[in-house]
Amino acid sequence: MNQSGASLMDFVHRRRRGAELLLLILALVVGIGAYAAVGLGVEGHVPADLVGYGGWLTALIVVAHVAIRVVAPYADPVLLPLVAALNGLGLAVIHRLDLDPTSFCSDNGTFARQQLTWMTLGVVLFVATLFLLRDHRLLQRFTYTSGLVAIALLLLPMMPLIGNTINGAKIWINVGPFSFQPGEVAKVLLVITFAGYLVLHRDALALAGRRVLFIDLPRGRDLGPLLVMFAVSMFILVFQRDLGSSLLFFGIFLVMLYVATERPGWLVVGGALFAVGAALGWQAFGHVQNRVNIWLDPMAYYDETPGSGQLVEGLFGMGWGGLIGRGFGEGDPCRIPYAESDFIVAAIGEELGLTAVMAVVVCYGLIVERALRIALISRDGFGKLLATGLGAIFALQVFVVIGGVTGLIPLTGLTTPFLSYGGSSLVANWVVIALLLRISDQARRPVPRLDPDGPSWSDSETTQVVKLK
Amino acid sequence: MNKPIRVVAVFCLLLFVALLLNSSYLMYFRAGDLGEDPRNRRIINNAFSRERGAILVGKDAVARSVPSDDKYEFQRTYPQPLKYAPVTGHFSFFTQTGVERSQNDVLSGEDSRLFVTRLVDLLKNAEPKGGNVQLTLDPAAQDAAWAGLEALPGDAKGAVVALEPSTGRVLAMASTPTYDPNGMASHDFGSVAELTERLQADPDDPLINRAIGTTLPPGSTFKLVTATAAIESGDYDADSMVPGGFAFQLPQSETKIKNHDGGDCGGKRISLTRALEVSCNVSFLSLADELGNDAMADQAEKFGFNSTSLQDLPGQAKSLYPRDMDEPQTAMSGIGQSSVTATPLQMAMVAAAIANGGDVMRPYVVNEVRAPDLSVLGQTDPERISEAMSSSTASELTRMLVSTVAQGTATPAAIPGIDVAGKTGTAQSTPDRPPYAWFVSFAPADDPQIAVAVMVESSDTSRDEIAGGRLGGPIAKAVMEAVIAP
């Protein structure tokens, strides 16, 4: 650490809780305003339960905000407002789809209510995470445990009785009356596992190797973890037919491996493996070929089954929405199957226009940016890797799903974080935000002065300072 | 680890920029293409529900949208359905035809000329309205054309086209049998599908606008083209003597073609005027034989054969004069037989070109396009598409046609006190089908205001009667009178 590093360490982050509150008010205006606009647009009057709904949403957000004030006062002030805005917008759009007279959208018109219940559970777990997990480094202890649990969760949908296949993907389990996607939880646990493993083994993975064509390639024996992860991804692709999750898991691991080792060589090896996997998947599976063909020429497969009807309806809807959208109730988003989950961005594009789609993308961009900023200022390697991994989840997931819906890349089924209808995803993502806030609270909190008068401490390895309290 | 984190941040930035660029491309630049896709039900549903502009003939709407209390806000209605169906077409949930289709952008309000109106509607939060389309049709002429076709005996099929020679405006366009577009515009989609199926299965093809959509051998009316080619060649005028007699020996063939009445047209050599007056087959067979395929084809194409000219209506069939006919076929083409086919519109264009001093004008049915507030957004300008003949040839032909009405085969079209120019025709496509009766005319001969072509196909009428122009003549006369009468 040189001189500038020392002065950086003297920099004390402000808590900025007031700024967070202000942004939260804006986020609530988005959420509640959208709900009122749905009532006006679809039913012609302000919804009767606006006060009750708005009150509930406000209460949830206030609870989350107060929890942060109490147990994570230095946490990043932007993340919660972004999430609140996205979740509120998602609820309003799902509510609008519920109200559509064509029953194509939702079976019973109660998706919004269920989603609000899930959001409540999400906020409860968010608060619980912040209260129970006072130091994210505790998670490092569960490196292998969480890995095992993650694999167990990923295997659950394969089990008889509780396993549930929806649309060809074996990624659901039935727990009582609920369908649950264990993969959503597994991805968080996997990030914890990766971070714990990589922070321990980064030196070995980083240093050994040989240089080929300007790129440091890793040693063969160090390829183990990468190959294991590759195998897991291929397993998900082959046995669960879930292209999106397979891509997501491998991508996150690759990003974290690169950050841990600082060696682009891993990206080369990983990218090659990805290419091999993609080629194999394309060769072996009709549904993968189908996805690629549809991506190349969606209009040609409109009338076929399985075809591009859903994608093309989404494109038609977004094209019709144009710059400012048709307005709530004026579009026809229910023409798109699964408009409330995978294709919610298409529904937003149709009724709120390019403006809203861009706003949503920028919100996600900001979440990723905040996550990576937290990774940058985090003082410990585990925290850095964890924050990077959690940020990468959002970046890759959003890119894969919005890119798929807008025709940029082949379509793969993934939920849009915080917007899509779906309990497992929503709850898991709220916990992810809690983890990010916990890491940022640790990172932004002033370093405890071990010896306030001693000049020597600033030279020490400050990232290794352990909180004493 | 900070350096790779920064690299990852840049990578993520690129991902999000790609998303932003792609969604902009999709929702702004590609939106127009997506909206034009015929499978895009959003556009169709929306247009179906919207207050569509009216199609006007004179001061009356022949197609308009009225408020509806079912799930769509407006219902398209056609107050005079059968009479105008061939022109207006219909606006159903599944397709559009006729002017409803060709002027869809204006009627639906999507046309760029209506941008300001759309913007105002948007700001006022009013439902967008479509613009109106004013047709060139003359209500009196259309009434006369429709009444004439309806009065035909039995299950007659026919079509009438009337043009204003100096501009190309379509003054009347009727076709029978036809259909009721109100049934197609119904909001009961089951009945629409049923009706569509029934109309499509009907052997009489009621969905086809015969005035522009069917091509048939034009028969003796094509002798106008042959006569034009002869005079334009420089070797003939109205008084030139041409071969007459009882029969014409087809070249390279044993077949002899007789005149329609079995007579000799009044001698071995008769004047061209006389040949036209009595519609002498022998004269025109020999003229076409002498002029040859190239000269005949050149002349036919100057009149508009082998191409389409009407842009305002979909479904125009191309009238044909093949360029690869052998000698016997070429000779037969001189009397509108062999492979020559024409639409009633094409024959009306031939008459209009003669009436207009030789200039062929592009026919059009859309006169003006108006905003919902009735301000004029655009007007169709008459356009000359070719010069079929010199003005002296035109006046010579006019004189010949006037005497054809005055003392020849075309007398049923004579209007007292007015010089009418006209020509009958009878044509046979296949021996087992009844012949087609044709009649083309224009009036007044000294200052033509209207040119008409009538085509009638009827199984109830004997071949001789048809040849007399008795079916087509009175209809043409009534249509001309409707426009000329003060």
Side-chain angles (χ1 to χ4, degrees), chain B residues 385-396:
Chain B
I385 45 180
S386 67
E387 187 183 359
M389 71 199 88
S390 68
S391 59
S392 63
T393 306
S395 52
E396 206 135 323

Side-chain angles (χ1 to χ4, degrees), chain B residues 142-357:
Chain B
Q142 183 76 8
D143 287 348
W146 173 246
L149 286 176
E150 258 205 323
L152 287 171
D155 59 347
K157 290 174 265 184
V160 176
V161 176
L163 299 173
E164 185 174 77
S166 58
T167 58
R169 296 161 68 105
V170 176
L171 297 175
M173 184 179 280
S175 169
T176 51
T178 184
Y179 67 103
D180 185 348
N182 286 311
M184 303 295 260
S186 165
H187 292 178
D188 177 357
F189 301 144
S191 78
V192 173
E194 201 178 297
L195 178 65
T196 310
E197 205 170 302
R198 203 176 71 230
L199 291 173
Q200 279 171 347
D202 191 328
D204 285 342
D205 291 331
L207 287 172
I208 289 184
N209 176 2
R210 279 155 216 283
I212 61 168
T214 51
T215 57
L216 299 164
S220 300
T221 54
F222 194 78
K223 288 171 183 166
L224 295 182
V225 179
T226 313
T228 308
I231 300 174
E232 282 285 284
S233 72
D235 300 335
Y236 295 91
D237 58 30
D239 302 322
S240 302
M241 297 307 276
V242 294
F246 286 99
F248 177 77
Q249 171 76 52
L250 275 188
Q252 307 166 0
S253 164
E254 297 294 303
T255 316
K256 286 189 171 181
I257 309 288
K258 295 179 185 163
N259 293 314
H260 62 89
D261 57 355
D264 71 345
C265 304
K268 282 233 172 250
R269 303 282 295 177
I270 55 174
S271 72
L272 186 56
T273 306
R274 175 75 184 152
L276 205 60
E277 276 171 14
V278 299
S279 197
C280 183
N281 283 348
V282 175
S283 312
F284 288 94
L285 286 160
S286 68
L287 276 176
D289 184 39
E290 185 197 319
L291 291 163
N293 185 250
D294 280 347
M296 287 294 289
D298 287 347
Q299 186 61 55
E301 285 182 3
K302 282 183 190 169
F303 278 115
F305 280 81
N306 296 341
S307 61
T308 56
S309 47
L310 181 68
Q311 294 165 334
D312 295 341
L313 286 176
Q316 188 190 358
K318 207 182 265 187
S319 303
L320 291 178
Y321 188 97
R323 279 192 170 271
D324 54 359
M325 290 191 288
D326 60 18
E327 280 188 46
Q329 286 174 325
T330 302
M332 288 295 285
S333 78
I335 58 169
Q337 297 287 359
S338 76
S339 302
V340 183
T341 59
T343 59
L345 173 70
Q346 178 60 58
M347 294 322 292
M349 286 167 70
V350 169
I354 297 169
N356 193 35

Side-chain angles (χ1 to χ4, degrees), chain A residues 215-422:
Chain A
I215 297 165
D216 291 317
L217 289 181
R219 279 189 310 189
R221 72 175 81 152
D222 297 326
L223 285 173
L226 184 65
L227 291 176
V228 167
M229 205 45 229
F230 179 66
V232 170
S233 296
M234 289 306 282
F235 177 85
I236 293 170
L237 176 63
V238 173
F239 292 102
Q240 305 191 329
R241 303 196 141 219
D242 186 4
L243 193 59
S245 300
S246 159
L247 209 95
L248 185 66
F249 291 151
F250 192 62
I252 294 167
F253 179 71
L254 213 53
V255 166
M256 292 177 71
L257 185 61
Y258 166 60
V259 170
T261 59
E262 308 198 7
R263 284 174 63 166
W266 283 111
L267 291 180
V268 174
V269 175
L273 277 176
F274 173 78
V276 170
L280 285 179
W282 189 82
Q283 282 268 319
F285 296 112
H287 73 277
V288 177
Q289 285 177 24
N290 201 25
R291 293 274 171 91
V292 173
N293 290 339
I294 286 173
W295 170 60
L296 291 174
D297 187 6
M299 298 302 169
Y301 297 87
Y302 180 72
D303 291 323
E304 290 177 28
T305 340
S308 61
Q310 183 189 29
L311 177 65
V312 172
E313 282 298 343
L315 296 178
F316 281 161
M318 286 186 282
W320 200 40
L323 285 183
I324 55 168
R326 313 303 304 186
F328 276 126
E330 301 297 317
D332 206 356
C334 285
R335 296 196 61 81
I336 314 166
Y338 298 99
E340 77 286 346
S341 59
D342 289 10
F343 272 71
I344 197 159
V345 169
I348 292 174
E350 177 165 358
E351 299 212 315
L352 300 176
L354 178 61
T355 325
V357 171
M358 288 192 137
V360 165
V361 171
V362 168
C363 279
Y364 285 122
L366 286 174
I367 290 178
V368 175
E369 185 261 347
R370 297 317 287 193
L372 294 175
R373 180 173 297 252
I374 291 166
L376 275 179
I377 61 171
S378 182
R379 300 185 184 115
D380 65 301
F382 179 72
K384 277 181 188 296
L385 283 173
L386 193 55
T388 307
L390 297 178
I393 289 181
F394 285 117
L396 292 178
Q397 191 162 345
V398 165
F399 180 74
V400 165
V401 68
I402 300 186
V405 169
T406 55
L408 182 62
I409 56 169
L411 184 67
T412 51
L414 278 181
T415 55
T416 320
F418 299 109
L419 285 177
S420 289
Y421 169 74

Side-chain angles (χ1 to χ4, degrees), chain B residues 8-137:
Chain B
V8 169
V10 171
F11 175 69
C12 289
L13 178 71
L14 292 179
L15 290 186
F16 281 95
V17 166
L19 285 183
L20 290 175
L21 289 178
N22 187 58
S23 45
S24 306
Y25 165 70
L26 172 69
M27 297 177 69
Y28 185 71
F29 296 102
R30 220 180 126 199
D33 287 349
L34 290 171
E36 278 162 23
D37 195 297
R39 294 166 296 190
N40 194 335
R41 291 240 72 93
R42 284 181 177 79
I43 305 289
I44 299 164
N45 284 342
N46 185 47
F48 200 66
S49 190
R50 197 184 290 180
E51 181 168 7
R52 200 170 162 85
I55 301 176
L56 301 161
V57 169
K59 282 176 183 151
D60 296 328
V62 293
R64 62 192 155 102
S65 289
V66 295
S68 163
D69 49 11
D70 55 9
K71 68 174 175 167
Y72 296 98
E73 285 176 56
F74 289 92
Q75 167 73 55
R76 196 72 167 156
T77 58
Y78 301 87
Q80 304 177 66
L82 300 176
K83 195 191 293 179
Y84 287 99
V87 181
T88 59
H90 61 259
F91 177 73
S92 86
F93 186 68
F94 305 103
T95 73
Q96 303 117 47
T97 59
V99 170
E100 293 277 25
R101 172 147 155 207
S102 70
Q103 300 301 309
N104 187 42
D105 279 357
V106 172
L107 293 167
S108 68
E110 298 288 343
D111 194 274
S112 56
R113 287 171 290 187
L114 288 164
F115 177 75
V116 177
T117 318
R118 270 208 309 276
L119 204 63
V120 171
D121 282 341
L122 186 73
L123 294 177
K124 286 198 304 196
N125 202 19
E127 286 290 317
K129 275 186 188 173
N132 298 325
V133 172
Q134 175 79 49
L135 301 184
T136 56
L137 298 184

